[in-house]
Amino acid sequence: MNAIICRVVSQTEKMSITTKEGNKMSKCNIRLKAIGGLYSDEFWCSVLGQQADIEFNSGELVAVVLKHTIHENNGNIFNDVTVTEIVKV
């Protein structure tokens, strides 16, 4: 997986979730736009664990490694994007 440089568009408030093992974990969602102009890729991603505790401002540059997964539920297909690592540039 390669890191890509993105600009933060927005970030949701941090929330606490319970894992399958019963542990508490922080989670937030972040909207990122890849560097490259008006029509560059945009991602709505989940951020989990300690990385969700970091607050990012709109317009800030970050380097991210994203994990793309696909799952099916009740005949519908969902594409999930999760941040595996995020660093302010």
Side-chain angles (χ1 to χ4, degrees):
M1 290 186 213
N2 296 326
I4 59 174
I5 304 297
C6 294
R7 188 171 307 279
V8 175
V9 177
S10 64
Q11 181 180 14
T12 63
E13 292 291 322
K14 178 179 71 168
M15 65 186 92
S16 181
I17 61 171
T18 304
T19 64
K20 290 180 182 178
E21 293 82 28
N23 301 326
K24 294 284 186 183
M25 182 187 331
S26 297
K27 177 188 176 182
C28 73
N29 292 314
I30 191 167
R31 185 174 163 199
L32 303 170
K33 184 167 181 72
I35 299 299
L38 185 62
Y39 300 106
S40 60
D41 292 333
E42 210 167 296
F43 307 97
W44 186 256
C45 315
S46 297
V47 184
L48 304 170
Q50 294 178 340
Q51 294 178 353
D53 297 329
I54 304 169
E55 290 191 28
F56 297 97
N57 298 317
S58 182
E60 211 168 18
L61 287 177
V62 293
V64 294
V65 177
L66 302 176
K67 179 175 85 171
H68 299 267
T69 57
I70 297 173
H71 72 276
E72 183 181 349
N73 188 10
N74 293 331
N76 296 316
I77 297 175
F78 298 94
N79 182 15
D80 295 324
V81 181
T82 306
V83 172
T84 56
E85 189 168 349
I86 185 166
V87 178
K88 293 181 182 182
V89 177

